[in-house]
């Protein structure tokens, strides 16, 4: 059986592409509480690669481009476009996190609420429309 995330490094790391990856890096830290682990600048103010951490989780991001990977992953065409996937991030205080995200300009699409399965959560979009879910339901907590 795999080790719970609390005792091992993350083994699944979401990746995102942004039109303004430098701005996204700043915004994700301010709005969602990520911290810079590694930021590799690219040409012309772009971000070649960035790693942001929160707890023992990580996301990777970079500037959208016409490179090999860019032919497979691009930012949303519209900030309100449906998405096919979205990260869930465990937070200790959902309402405080929500307030910080809203103050930074996150667009809340599902307000904070208590869930039938346990915990409390909400969903919002970042400045380029990516969907994020935040909640207190810790899937690793078996107690």
């Amino acid at each position: 059986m795999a080790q719970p995330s609390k005792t091992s490094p993350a083994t699944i790391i979401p990746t995102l592409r942004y039109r303004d990856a430098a701005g996204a890096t700043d915004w994700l830290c301010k709005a969602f509480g990520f911290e810079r682990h590694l930021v590799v600048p690219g040409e012309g103010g772009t971000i070649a690669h960035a790693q942001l951490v929160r707890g023992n989780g990580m996301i990777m991001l970079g500037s959208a481009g016409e490179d090999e990977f860019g032919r497979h992953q691009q930012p949303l065409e519209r900030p309100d476009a449906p998405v096919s996937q979205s990260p869930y991030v465990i937070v200790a205080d959902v309402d405080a996190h929500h307030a910080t995200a809203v103050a930074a300009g996150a667009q809340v699409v599902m307000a904070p609420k208590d869930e039938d399965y346990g915990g409390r959560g909400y969903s919002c979009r970042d400045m380029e429309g990516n969907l994020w879910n935040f909640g207190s339901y810790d899937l690793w907590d078996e107690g």
Side-chain angles (χ1 to χ4, degrees), residues 1-100:
M1 177 183 228
Q3 292 289 332
S5 68
K6 290 182 180 179
T7 60
S8 66
T11 59
I12 298 174
I13 301 170
T15 64
L16 301 103
R17 287 282 178 115
Y18 286 92
R19 287 178 183 80
D20 178 7
T25 299
D26 292 339
W27 193 89
L28 292 166
C29 291
K30 177 181 176 183
F32 294 163
F34 283 98
E35 296 177 2
R36 289 167 180 81
H37 180 71
L38 173 70
V39 178
V40 179
E43 296 178 13
T46 63
I47 299 294
H49 176 77
Q51 299 168 358
L52 304 181
V53 295
R54 186 172 184 1
N56 66 342
M58 178 183 287
I59 62 169
M60 295 188 302
L61 63 96
S63 295
E66 298 298 323
D67 58 2
E68 182 179 6
F69 189 71
R71 289 191 293 273
H72 302 283
Q73 184 176 359
Q74 287 289 321
L76 297 171
E77 289 187 26
R78 304 181 328 268
D80 63 344
V83 301
S84 65
Q85 56 188 323
S86 60
Y88 177 81
V89 180
I90 299 169
V91 297
D93 185 334
V94 170
D95 295 300
H97 190 276
H98 171 263
T100 300

Side-chain angles (χ1 to χ4, degrees), residues 109-127:
V109 297
M110 294 174 62
K113 67 176 184 171
D114 295 326
E115 301 292 354
D116 293 340
Y117 52 81
R120 183 169 177 77
Y122 78 98
S123 299
C124 66
R125 289 182 180 260
D126 65 23
M127 75 289 193

